[in-house]
Amino acid sequence: MFRFLISLLLFGFIHTEPIIINLITTNDIHGAIAPQKANFMNPQYPPTIIGGAAFSKYVDDLRLETKKNNEGLLILDGGNFFQGSPLGLADGGKTMIKWMNRIGYHAMVPGSYDFILGAQNLNDVCNTASFPFLFSNLNCSDCPLTSTNIKPYIIQEIWGIQVGVLGVVNSKLKELTLAENLSGTDAEKEVKSTQIWVQEMKAKGAEMIIVLTSAGVPWDREEEYEKFINQVQSGEIDADTSLNALQMAYYLEGVDFVVAGGNSKGYWLPWYDPHSHVYVIQGYGGGTEFSHIKLLIDEKSHLFIGYETVIDGKASQTLLADDFKSNQEDVKWINAKLKEAQKTYYAGQKSKSIHTQSPMN
């Protein structure tokens, strides 16, 4: 296993085993929890991705393992959780929330596609979740997002560590979503909002800060980061600009980790920002995979000191049939929900189509 540390000098003074928190992340699932063929891996002979039933078994097994090993567990989602499949759209995301409740997510952040059936639908779906929807930069002009389950952040105690998770929605929300679907909902700029809330979280005892955002990590992150640095130096971009997750991290001193969604492009390992010393993680979407790393926290100081991968030196794991087993009860449940959703969705396809178009279409 690989261990990435912020400071080798700091590590040299640690004489006790660190506190371990297993971080599980998903993003841009788009309602795809049923089995599917991985055509993107091999168009002629695509392997099978077994999906949500395999993920639930993995989490169940991990939950038992963490208790045995005295380790913590934190499960987060980066948004865009239901749009994109009949299973997700047929009931406006309620089936997906039932599945996420089953998994035991601790929090998620809304993505732009989560407004595809309107802000009122998102608010209603939020009320069925056993975990909070985090939206710290919410600018609500008499909008429907009034659920008490919509919060700016949470502070969760995990093995004695006060872990704060702050939700930050893509501030280009109005550009990505139809105005009629937002109903007065808007998102303030990412960095300004984050800096304000992080101060409050630390004042309330948060020792480790994770930003959960739907601002997305772009394709070709190395090239994009180099371009971004040039734009910062020329004054073209600053902290008051709408920023993606990779760009945000540059300004987030005081934050330890960024968990991103909003783009289905995934990376094997988190990105490390040399300026702010913040890590950024984003996995592939479409229900094809999840990410799992172990966060390492110093037992005495409660400072975040780095992370470990758990398999093959990678954070991301693809849910291939050759590598995972499914929970058979969940297989039956997902298949039944899929059949029900297909019947419902395609029976009313004409009436639904006007509500499922993005501005690009």
Side-chain angles (χ1 to χ4, degrees):
M1 291 189 291
F2 291 83
R3 178 170 296 180
F4 295 81
L5 300 173
I6 295 176
S7 171
L8 292 176
L9 181 60
L10 176 63
F11 182 74
F13 287 98
I14 297 174
H15 301 290
T16 58
E17 288 296 320
I19 295 171
I20 294 175
I21 298 175
N22 289 267
L23 176 63
I24 303 288
T25 71
T26 55
N27 59 277
D28 304 279
I29 299 175
H30 290 292
I33 58 173
Q36 58 181 293
K37 292 294 183 180
N39 294 298
F40 62 91
M41 298 180 74
N42 188 332
Q44 291 186 317
Y45 304 100
T48 299
I49 292 175
I50 50 181
F55 183 55
S56 64
K57 180 174 178 12
Y58 184 90
V59 173
D60 287 345
D61 293 343
L62 179 62
R63 190 169 276 114
L64 293 174
E65 183 181 337
T66 55
K67 289 181 179 179
K68 179 181 177 181
N69 297 334
N70 294 326
E71 297 177 357
L73 177 63
L74 182 63
I75 309 174
L76 304 174
D77 183 78
N80 295 331
F81 69 98
F82 77 93
Q83 180 276 342
S85 73
L87 186 145
L89 279 167
D91 61 1
K94 290 183 176 63
T95 293
M96 282 299 298
I97 290 297
K98 289 179 182 178
W99 175 76
M100 295 176 80
N101 288 341
R102 153 73 178 94
I103 295 296
Y105 279 84
H106 292 90
M108 71 160 289
V109 61
S112 60
Y113 281 104
D114 295 331
F115 289 88
I116 203 77
L117 297 181
Q120 184 62 59
N121 176 76
L122 182 61
N123 190 76
D124 294 344
V125 169
C126 177
N127 284 326
T128 69
S130 60
F131 53 89
F133 284 39
L134 303 183
F135 195 160
S136 68
N137 57 332
L138 173 63
N139 187 348
C140 182
S141 176
D142 195 30
C143 76
L145 298 185
T146 59
S147 171
T148 57
N149 204 28
I150 298 174
K151 307 176 186 297
Y153 64 85
I154 58 171
I155 298 177
Q156 184 102 13
E157 182 176 339
I158 306 176
W159 281 103
I161 306 298
Q162 299 295 325
V163 180
V165 182
L166 177 72
V168 181
V169 171
N170 192 333
S171 68
K172 291 184 177 180
L173 190 61
K174 280 190 172 181
E175 300 176 30
L176 299 170
T177 310
L178 295 173
E180 64 187 71
N181 291 341
L182 291 175
S183 303
T185 306
D186 197 6
E188 296 178 352
K189 295 295 191 296
E190 294 86 358
V191 172
K192 178 181 178 181
S193 179
T194 299
Q195 290 173 339
I196 293 172
W197 286 107
V198 165
Q199 290 180 5
E200 178 176 317
M201 294 167 71
K202 290 190 173 183
K204 290 189 175 181
E207 297 171 298
M208 179 179 185
I209 303 289
I210 297 174
V211 169
L212 178 62
T213 181
S214 55
V217 176
W219 290 73
D220 303 319
R221 62 186 181 182
E222 288 79 10
E223 295 178 16
E224 289 296 323
Y225 187 78
E226 183 177 352
K227 178 182 176 182
F228 163 69
I229 293 300
N230 291 333
Q231 291 173 315
V232 170
Q233 293 174 347
S234 67
E236 184 179 347
I237 286 180
D238 58 27
D240 294 326
T241 310
S242 289
L243 302 173
N244 61 45
L246 194 71
Q247 296 166 335
M248 283 172 59
Y250 177 86
Y251 295 102
L252 297 186
E253 291 90 349
V255 170
D256 298 297
F257 224 95
V258 175
V259 174
N263 188 344
S264 290
K265 166 64 176 176
Y267 294 93
W268 283 0
L269 291 172
W271 168 269
Y272 174 74
D273 189 286
H275 177 261
S276 63
H277 309 296
V278 175
Y279 289 100
V280 185
I281 190 170
Q282 179 175 279
Y284 280 100
T288 60
E289 70 173 46
F290 64 94
S291 295
H292 178 192
I293 58 174
K294 293 188 176 188
L295 304 176
L296 308 176
I297 298 94
D298 180 43
E299 186 178 26
K300 294 182 179 180
S301 66
H302 287 193
L303 293 174
F304 171 63
I305 55 175
Y307 74 87
E308 287 181 348
T309 58
V310 297
I311 184 169
D312 299 333
K314 296 189 298 183
S316 59
Q317 298 190 45
T318 306
L319 289 161
L320 294 169
D322 290 342
D323 300 327
F324 291 86
K325 294 183 179 179
S326 297
N327 179 299
Q328 292 306 309
E329 289 301 314
D330 288 340
V331 169
K332 295 176 184 177
W333 185 84
I334 290 172
N335 287 339
K337 288 295 183 181
L338 180 60
K339 290 180 181 179
E340 180 182 325
Q342 289 173 333
K343 183 177 180 180
T344 301
Y345 182 78
Y346 290 115
Q349 190 173 19
K350 287 186 178 180
S351 64
K352 290 180 183 295
S353 64
I354 61 172
H355 300 293
T356 58
Q357 300 300 308
S358 72
M360 292 293 290
N361 291 331

